[in-house]
Amino acid sequence: MTTRRAQDPRRSTPRSLGERSDSAVATPALWSERADMAESAIVSRHLRALWALPGTELGVVGWPATKRERAFGSWHYWWQAHLIDCAVDAANRMPTPVRRKRIAAIARSHRLRNLTGWTNRYYDDMAWLAIALERAERTAGVTEARSGLIALERPLYEGFNPVVGALPWRIGSDYYNAPANGPAAIALLRLGRHGRAQEMADWLDATLRDPETGLILDGIHLPAGEIERPVFSYCQGVVLGVETELAMHTGEPRHGERVHRLLAAVEEHLTTKGIVSGGGGGDGGLFNGILARYLAVVALMLPGEDKEQENDRRVAAEIVRASATAAWANRLEVEGEPLFGHDWSKPATLPGGIAGAGRFTAGGSVTSSRVPERDLSVQLSGWMLMEAAYLVSAAGL
């Protein structure tokens, strides 16, 4: 295995990460090439047939992998949903029969490995899979996704508690949070349930928006009303996404106003020199990639021609470009393919062995590997970011 710190051939002298020189010269073709390389790294390091069954593929959750991981004794439902979503990104950017076949294979394998079919007890998990399958069917023509959407739409719609105005985190829970309601609102909106999506967006803004920072907090325990106050980047991403799409579908001013307010809060509190700050492994490895995905949605889809909307689209695109430039500059190249860091502003670290493999906590979340770059989640975020950078670049933003 050969490893080296990658140097961008377009950068002949060292520059600070805050400078945008690479962003200025990076064309859509260059971002597409980088997204291709991110995809190739996932395919070669992580994709494997499920239990040696023909026509199957799933993502092994760590690299280097344990024997249990290679046998899919360990797998994480919502990570695989984002693997499908990234595969859809690549197929939309440059359609090929291989890419379309891969989407169908991962979706089929997801259902098989889940053992209980498409659904589980967690509304956030089901929402992420619904988003990925809806895009697979609508934009990539993967007809195999239809049965999954039928199975997932019902619990996401019927699980809504009209007294609260939101979905619980999981079936039977008294905890209502942004990680479930944000992606579920996006999924239901794209499935034509505009009224329900709007109810959920209104609940998120009224209940979980921090009046001091403007950021979206994690969730609330009912009936006690105790709010969990951690701020996660992906919660900001999904709220930006659903509010942007509601602004486009409904034309109601409050949705665009919320995007403006939340985007300003993200720029102030969650970026450094224009780059999305921090990052981790385990489940947290996906958080910044999800924010980047929905910042690209803001950049491409936020309606309005006033200076405020134009500036919001520009700011969202700039955060994506600056973050992608930093992540690419700080990657490792391992046998010619990129390995992204968990913190895009710092050099990536090569995982050594399998120590500290991510495991489930009592609360159901997945811990980071000792070296977060080992986790599929971290590498999926890097791929998501490259695809987002391609989209904003191709749109001339």
Side-chain angles (χ1 to χ4, degrees):
M1 178 175 66
T2 55
T3 305
R4 63 184 177 87
R5 174 71 55 200
Q7 297 295 323
D8 191 329
R10 294 173 179 259
R11 295 175 62 177
S12 56
T13 57
R15 299 178 185 270
S16 92
L17 292 177
E19 293 180 17
R20 306 282 175 84
S21 60
D22 183 73
S23 294
V25 299
T27 62
L30 182 57
W31 285 120
S32 183
E33 180 182 339
R34 292 172 176 179
D36 278 345
M37 293 174 70
E39 174 193 30
S40 178
I42 294 285
V43 169
S44 63
R45 294 181 193 136
H46 291 275
L47 259 61
R48 185 181 179 94
L50 172 65
W51 303 325
L53 295 172
T56 63
E57 281 186 299
L58 270 182
V60 175
V61 298
W63 179 83
T66 66
K67 183 177 180 181
R68 176 178 171 80
E69 288 167 346
R70 286 194 298 271
F72 296 101
S74 295
W75 84 298
H76 308 317
Y77 182 114
W78 81 293
W79 295 19
Q80 306 293 331
H82 286 283
L83 174 60
I84 296 171
D85 224 7
C86 286
V88 173
D89 290 338
N92 289 344
R93 176 171 47 81
M94 190 176 295
T96 68
V98 169
R99 283 175 166 152
R100 187 190 176 284
K101 184 178 178 181
R102 179 176 296 133
I103 296 166
I106 299 170
R108 184 183 313 117
S109 305
H110 193 291
R111 178 179 57 80
L112 290 172
R113 176 58 186 83
N114 194 45
L115 302 180
T116 57
W118 294 106
T119 62
N120 71 3
R121 292 180 53 81
Y122 292 83
Y123 288 111
D124 54 345
D125 283 0
M126 290 189 284
W128 288 120
L129 185 57
I131 289 172
L133 294 179
E134 190 279 333
R135 290 186 68 226
E137 181 186 50
R138 172 172 50 86
T139 70
V142 178
T143 56
E144 295 90 337
R146 171 50 35 188
S147 63
L149 285 174
I150 292 171
L152 291 162
E153 181 178 1
R154 182 173 178 178
L156 291 175
Y157 187 77
E158 295 182 356
F160 180 84
N161 184 332
V163 176
V164 176
L167 271 173
W169 169 47
R170 62 184 177 186
I171 294 171
S173 175
D174 64 358
Y175 188 55
Y176 293 75
N177 64 4
N181 284 274
I186 293 171
L188 291 171
L189 178 61
R190 293 179 182 178
L191 291 168
R193 307 278 197 171
H194 296 176
R196 179 57 50 81
Q198 195 162 30
E199 287 180 275
M200 296 164 81
D202 290 343
W203 178 85
L204 284 161
D205 185 73
T207 309
L208 297 181
R209 178 169 56 85
D210 181 7
E212 294 183 9
T213 64
L215 295 169
I216 302 298
L217 303 175
D218 188 63
I220 185 170
H221 296 274
L222 295 175
E226 177 189 355
I227 290 181
E228 296 282 353
R229 302 192 64 82
V231 171
F232 299 116
S233 56
Y234 77 141
C235 296
Q236 321 313 311
V238 291
V239 172
L240 286 169
V242 71
E243 294 288 5
T244 296
E245 294 193 33
L246 282 168
M248 184 181 67
H249 282 289
T250 70
E252 295 188 17
R254 72 180 186 274
H255 300 298
E257 291 165 3
R258 290 172 186 168
V259 171
H260 175 73
R261 184 176 59 207
L262 182 54
L263 181 62
V266 166
E267 185 181 29
E268 179 181 358
H269 297 288
L270 299 183
T271 69
T272 303
K273 295 183 179 180
I275 301 162
V276 175
S277 304
D283 281 344
L286 285 165
F287 292 0
N288 287 351
I290 291 168
L291 174 57
R293 175 183 293 285
Y294 291 103
L295 284 168
V297 168
V298 173
L300 295 169
M301 296 177 61
L302 183 68
E305 300 305 322
D306 291 344
K307 286 186 177 180
E308 181 176 286
Q309 288 93 41
E310 289 180 358
N311 186 65
D312 287 343
R313 290 190 292 268
R314 178 187 59 79
V315 167
E318 285 181 351
I319 295 171
V320 170
R321 285 201 310 271
S323 298
T325 299
W328 189 259
N330 282 306
R331 78 198 186 281
L332 288 173
E333 278 195 3
V334 183
E335 299 179 341
E337 294 177 330
L339 182 87
F340 295 104
H342 67 281
D343 181 334
W344 296 330
S345 68
K346 298 177 181 178
T349 299
L350 183 69
I354 57 175
R359 292 179 173 84
F360 283 107
T361 68
S365 62
V366 179
T367 62
S368 174
S369 293
R370 185 174 301 170
V371 177
E373 282 80 347
R374 179 183 176 276
D375 295 340
L376 172 62
S377 57
V378 172
Q379 302 311 313
L380 285 174
S381 265
W383 183 5
M384 263 187 262
L385 179 61
M386 296 303 117
E387 297 285 1
Y390 165 76
L391 287 173
V392 300
S393 176
L397 295 167

